[in-house]
Amino acid sequence: MATQVTEAAAEEAHVREQTLVHDEIAFANDAKMTARDVDVFYGEKKAVDSVSIDVDSHYVTAFIGPSGCGKSTFLRCFNRMNDTIDIARVQGRIELDGEDIYDPRMDVVQLRARVGMVFQKPNPFPKSIYENIAYGPRIHGLASNKADMDGIVEASLTRAGLWNEVKDRLDDSGTALSGGQQQRLCIARAIAVDPEVILMDEPCSALDPIATAKIEELIEELKGRFAIVIVTHNMQQAARISQRTAFFHLGNLVEYGDTETIFTNPRADRTRDYITGRFG
Amino acid sequence: MNSTTAHTVKSFDDDLRLLRSMIGEMGGLARSQVNEAITALLSHDVELAKRVVEADKRIDELEMEAESFAISIIARRSPLAQDLREVIAALKIGAVIERIGDYGKNIAKRVEALSSSGYRGASAGVEQIGSMASTLVDDAMRSFAERDPFLARAVSDGDEAIDDYYESLFQTLLGEIAEDPENTAPATHLIFIIKNLERIGDHATNIAEMVHYSATGEHLEDRPKGGDATGLSLPL
């Protein structure tokens, strides 16, 4: 009897840990980045537990889940930002266009140009608006002369919806802009080096609703040109801007599916309880 | 199928409960309107019929209240998943119940003309289809109250019997007209009445379909709605 109970519990635990991937994703994927059995440890503590996911290049993919669920930690694996944390250790395989990004021969600086990142708090360099954009293209040798660079700066700021607001004060400090403008400057800086993937870690959580709407509009504009992965605590934001949603809990990827299905008819109990506000 | 866990924000549960009780009350009223309209019709009770016509206003008021409340829940709570389905289903079911109330009122409005005509044909048939429609509404509302997708499916299937019964009754009434043209006016009234009852059955099915969607997230496969009498030959 006791063994039966234990077996049942083990079985249940096993079922709980299975990631529920919706069919339409499993069959219709055009993966830009793939993660397979990725674990992340902070010292002894396992923060991400055997996560496998494909990120499609044509969509905005949202990572949602309660604080501490591992979604940001996992996101930071995609351009090896966790390398900068001494006690962090990543296991498993992550590929960008089929290439192992944790291969020792991988040039991390090059990787981070291909997989850009935008953070929760806008972090412009304490330099001019122009220099904020020009820095990346310069170190990657994307411009051969001043005219080229001017073109890149204008194009990046235009794509980030910021050009008209800053074109007359490109020499002003980036830190003098409003929070929302600073965040769009950071997005402009990320796209200036022509990345393939943009990772966004709660890019709107420090912004007011109007600045948030502008960022969301920008994400909408950029969709399709770059693969975008966004971590957000704002469920409505995930529902508004993403086409794919992945729900994380306790380091597991619980469910991954069409955003519409996740928010109208989630399959996993944990997803449902979380998005309807029944957690805990 | 449904989470029994409460929301972290308790007043959200209170809101959903209140919305459900508003819709439940509307359903109960609409069903008793249909019953009383049939009773008034069969007992030639013109006074009762007038009360039915009057009472329809209460259903209309309740529908507006429920609609405003559902909109306010959407605005304030941003419901998702089964909560979203439940609020949208309540919104749509409220509108359907309001239509059922209108059909009840329409039946009641014909009582005076029928009563003064002296025509007494087909009353057993009308009583039968009236009770079928009323039972179906009751079952649909019970499936709503209990969030029961299986009962909802049974309601959807049960509508077929009303459609068949309606078609045979329609044929009978046409026969009455053919037999004696004096019957034309009252029999036509009755044809409208049984058509209304047949439509009430369709609306009960609509309620059941929304209950099924709300409870499971899956749409019931669409059953062709019969009862249009388009296949009947006219004996005239």
Side-chain angles (χ1 to χ4, degrees), chain B residues 138-159:
Chain B
D138 192 41
D139 287 346
M141 289 314 297
R142 213 147 42 81
S143 77
F144 170 77
E146 291 162 15
R147 295 187 174 95
D148 182 345
F150 300 103
L151 182 55
R153 183 178 287 275
V155 169
S156 176
D157 293 342
D159 180 46

Side-chain angles (χ1 to χ4, degrees), chain A residues 235-236 239 262-267 272-273 275-280, chain B residues 1 3 5-8 12 78 80-85 216-218:
Chain A
M235 226 103 60
Q236 297 297 331
I262 294 281
F263 286 102
T264 57
N265 194 15
R267 314 250 165 93
R272 183 196 62 202
D273 286 351
I275 67 166
T276 58
R278 288 178 161 90
F279 234 58
Chain B
M1 203 59 81
S3 175
T5 335
H7 287 93
T8 308
F12 192 175
S78 300
L80 288 170
Q82 87 262 35
D83 297 334
L84 177 61
R85 301 199 304 266
T216 65
E218 310 286 339

